[in-house]
Amino acid sequence: MSVTRYLMPLALIPTLVMAPYGARASTSYQQAKVINVEPHYETVTYTVPTRQCRLETVPVREYRDVGYQPRSHTAPIVGAIIGGVVGNAVMHGKTRKRTGTAVGAVLGASIGADVARQRQQYRDYAPARVSYRQEEVCETVEEVREERTLTGYQVRYRFAGETYVTMMDQDPGRFLRVRVDVTPV
C-alpha cells in the first residue's frame, strides 16, 4: 500500500478545521450600468467559383459529298508517257534506253496516280459553303468577394465608480450582470 494514499486525507484536515475561522471568498452578482455599446465588425474575403457564359459566333463548314465517281486513268497514262520519254532520253545504249524507258514509265505512272488521287480527295471534301451560328461558351472563374461580419460588441460599463471595457457576443442592453468576488486580504 502506498503511503501517499494515507497522507493525502491527513493533509486536508487543517483546511477543513480552519475553514469556519479562516478567510473565505464571497461571490455575488450585481448590476453594472452600461455606458456605451459599439458593434465590432471584421471584413472577411473569400472566393466563389462562378460559371460565366457568353455567346460566340463560330463558323460551320458544310462539306459536299459527291459520292462515288469513277476514277480517271488519264493522269497515270500521261505520267507513264512522260516518264518513258524522259527515261529514254537520259540513258545511252540500246539496253539502257529500254530499261530507262520502262523505269521512267513506271515512276511517271505512279506520280500521275498520286496527283490524281489528291485532286479527287480535295474535290470530294472541299467545303461547299460556310455558315455561322451562335454557340454558348462557358468557363468557371474564381470571383473574390468581401463581406463585413459582426464579430461582437465592445461594451463600456461602470461599476463601483470604475469604468471597464469588455467584448461580448450580444448587446447587453442598459445594464450588465457582473460577478463580484470579495476576498479579505
Side-chain angles (χ1 to χ4, degrees), residues 90-147:
V90 171
M91 295 300 188
H92 300 289
K94 193 175 193 182
T95 307
R96 287 187 178 166
K97 281 190 181 266
R98 284 186 196 154
T99 306
T101 302
V103 169
V106 170
L107 287 174
S110 176
I111 291 170
D114 288 344
V115 169
R117 191 175 312 112
Q118 287 178 351
R119 214 178 231 176
Q120 184 67 34
Q121 285 177 350
Y122 175 76
R123 259 184 275 141
D124 288 349
Y125 298 104
R129 69 182 189 132
V130 176
S131 60
Y132 295 90
R133 73 169 179 229
Q134 294 289 318
E135 199 170 275
E136 186 177 43
V137 177
C138 297
E139 62 185 348
T140 301
V141 294
E142 294 290 325
E143 190 174 294
V144 178
R145 295 186 182 170
E146 287 186 351
E147 188 175 286

Side-chain angles (χ1 to χ4, degrees), residues 10 25-26 46 98 118:
L10 293 175
S26 173
Y46 57 96
R98 284 186 196 154
Q118 287 178 351

Side-chain angles (χ1 to χ4, degrees), residues 46-86:
Y46 57 96
T47 59
V48 177
T50 305
R51 188 170 188 227
Q52 292 181 346
C53 298
R54 64 186 177 282
L55 287 177
E56 284 189 3
T57 303
V58 294
V60 178
R61 291 175 178 80
E62 294 179 21
Y63 295 97
R64 62 185 164 115
D65 183 14
V66 292
Y68 174 77
Q69 290 186 355
R71 295 182 77 179
S72 170
H73 298 291
T74 306
I77 292 171
V78 171
I81 292 171
I82 293 172
V85 170
V86 170

Side-chain angles (χ1 to χ4, degrees), residues 134-166:
Q134 294 289 318
E135 199 170 275
E136 186 177 43
V137 177
C138 297
E139 62 185 348
T140 301
V141 294
E142 294 290 325
E143 190 174 294
V144 178
R145 295 186 182 170
E146 287 186 351
E147 188 175 286
R148 274 187 83 194
T149 306
L150 179 66
T151 57
Y153 296 88
Q154 184 179 15
V155 179
R156 176 167 283 155
Y157 63 97
R158 185 179 306 275
F159 180 75
E162 296 288 328
T163 303
Y164 302 93
V165 178
T166 188

